[in-house]
Amino acid sequence: MSWYRNAVWFVKGLREYTRGGYESASRHFNPADVEVDVAGRSFLVTGANSGIGKATAKEIARRGGTVHLVCRNKERAEVAKEEIVTETGNQNIFLHIVDISNPKEIWKFAEKFQNEHKLNVLINNAGCMVNNRELTEDGLERNFATNTLGTYIMTTALLPLLEKAADARVITVSSGGMLVQKLNISDLQSGNGPFDGTMVYAQNKRQQVVLTEQWAKAHRNVHFSVMHPGWADTPAVRSSMPDFYERMKNSLRTEAQGADTVLWLAVSAEATKLPSGLFFQDRQPVRTHLPLAYTHSPPEDEEKLMQMLEEFSQKFKSVSPG
């Protein structure tokens, strides 16, 4: 059935995930939802130096929010910060250099951040798709380290700060690719069998959906959501999926279109009227499994994922300096 699921996902994606899908969906948007003033609220965006992260940060800055850009590359991040300040006139833009694939760095950053700042909204946008199996300096498979463990540690490390805030939210940028993956907790670091970077990425994105659902159950004072931005023309897509980009480049969404639902989830009052823990596309909650797909997991597997990630995270926290 895997070929069938892939085919269904691709056909569905051609229709809904492209620029045309966004244009069709956006006819039903209420512009007033995002025409809000968020001055005095603090937002943290990971992977904010390009693509959907930068587009999101820029739109929040236009609305007066204090924006913390968490980026890996200092040079590119400084250029992005300058662009955001110049285009929006908002001076409350702060830059933090953190490698989300490095769990020790995340713990160190989060500890310092909690002592110096407040936080209302966390946007987990940083991600990667490495097409060959590659290990970090900590011996972690890089996709898992960035997309899953990095997201887990950043969120759990900042939850104490978020739980003190008014109208606290966590938004994670996932992918429709997760629809072709069933949660697999037996090989989190993709060390068994042939390595397919696209499918590893999709598995990580399935894990992010499970994380969001589990966090929503455990932390009632914070509104959690996860979303699919559609197929957008971003530097990450161009570098990680060059063949896909060449085939689809005339139909891809703009970065701003890809970021629209992130912005809506981050600033609108309408978003938090919906239950915590849902998966969104174009401002609407959508199903997390295709019809008739064999991608559902038993609850014990989802709970086991949380337990395994907590064990990973604590291991790196114990050796974190400071």
Side-chain angles (χ1 to χ4, degrees):
M1 291 293 289
S2 62
W3 66 269
Y4 172 77
R5 293 199 299 274
N6 278 275
V8 169
W9 170 60
F10 185 72
V11 171
K12 176 184 172 72
L14 283 177
R15 186 174 65 252
E16 297 183 9
Y17 297 167
T18 60
R19 187 188 311 144
Y22 173 83
E23 290 167 352
S24 175
S26 66
R27 289 197 284 269
H28 305 286
F29 292 172
N30 181 358
D33 284 358
V34 294
E35 290 173 0
V36 294
D37 183 348
V38 292
R41 285 178 64 77
S42 176
F43 301 76
L44 189 154
V45 186
T46 67
N49 67 285
S50 68
I52 288 166
K54 185 171 77 171
T56 301
K58 192 178 293 184
E59 291 305 318
I60 292 169
R62 287 192 209 283
R63 289 157 176 79
T66 296
V67 185
H68 296 273
L69 313 175
V70 174
C71 307
R72 180 173 56 86
N73 184 292
K74 188 173 188 291
E75 185 176 315
R76 291 202 296 266
E78 287 174 343
V79 171
K81 176 186 173 182
E82 183 177 345
E83 179 185 323
I84 292 168
V85 170
T86 300
E87 289 191 21
T88 68
N90 187 337
Q91 300 294 321
N92 292 318
I93 312 298
F94 300 93
L95 184 58
H96 311 272
I97 305 304
V98 185
D99 183 350
I100 302 297
S101 73
N102 186 321
K104 294 187 289 293
E105 271 191 35
I106 302 172
W107 277 120
K108 184 178 180 181
F109 159 75
E111 183 179 346
K112 185 172 188 289
F113 188 89
Q114 289 187 80
N115 291 331
E116 297 177 356
H117 304 282
K118 71 168 191 172
L119 183 62
N120 298 94
V121 180
L122 168 62
I123 299 171
N124 290 309
N125 166 74
C128 71
M129 184 193 294
V130 178
N131 289 311
N132 297 301
R133 191 170 191 274
E134 176 183 308
L135 300 183
T136 69
E137 64 183 35
D138 296 303
L140 299 169
E141 190 276 316
R142 191 168 298 279
N143 293 292
F144 166 77
T146 305
N147 303 325
T148 301
L149 186 60
T151 296
Y152 178 87
I153 295 177
M154 183 65 77
T155 304
T156 53
L158 292 176
L159 268 171
L161 191 59
L162 286 160
E163 287 179 329
K164 297 175 187 173
D167 188 16
R169 311 182 188 192
V170 175
I171 300 118
T172 299
V173 179
S174 183
S175 167
M178 68 91 194
L179 289 168
V180 304
Q181 286 284 314
K182 178 179 180 178
L183 179 66
N184 177 12
I185 59 170
S186 68
D187 188 22
L188 289 182
Q189 299 203 62
S190 309
N192 301 330
F195 186 90
D196 181 334
T198 303
M199 288 300 104
V200 170
Y201 178 82
Q203 173 66 208
N204 296 161
K205 295 301 171 176
R206 168 63 70 188
Q207 292 160 0
Q208 290 178 342
V209 170
V210 172
L211 289 179
T212 299
E213 293 169 346
Q214 294 295 311
W215 282 326
K217 292 175 187 176
H219 303 277
R220 303 291 186 177
N221 295 330
V222 179
H223 190 272
F224 292 88
S225 54
V226 60
M227 59 78 67
H228 174 39
W231 292 340
D233 186 352
T234 65
V237 168
R238 284 177 234 143
S239 63
S240 299
M241 305 174 70
D243 294 341
F244 171 82
Y245 174 75
E246 283 302 315
R247 286 198 309 272
M248 300 296 296
K249 61 184 177 183
N250 295 325
S251 302
L252 297 177
R253 299 179 178 204
T254 65
E255 293 173 346
Q257 290 170 344
D260 176 81
T261 295
V262 188
L263 177 70
W264 183 82
L265 289 166
V267 306
S268 78
E270 294 304 306
T272 52
K273 292 178 182 177
L274 294 161
S276 182
L278 298 180
F279 180 61
F280 287 83
Q281 179 185 316
D282 291 332
R283 302 192 189 182
Q284 292 292 324
V286 293
R287 65 179 69 200
T288 57
H289 300 275
L290 293 172
L292 307 178
Y294 294 89
T295 54
H296 295 268
S297 301
E300 54 266 30
D301 280 8
E302 298 180 354
E303 292 163 9
K304 180 66 173 176
L305 173 68
M306 303 302 284
Q307 179 187 330
M308 294 169 77
L309 292 177
E310 180 62 15
E311 289 170 359
F312 264 116
S313 72
Q314 291 301 318
K315 170 185 171 184
F316 291 105
K317 183 180 184 181
S318 65
V319 297
S320 175

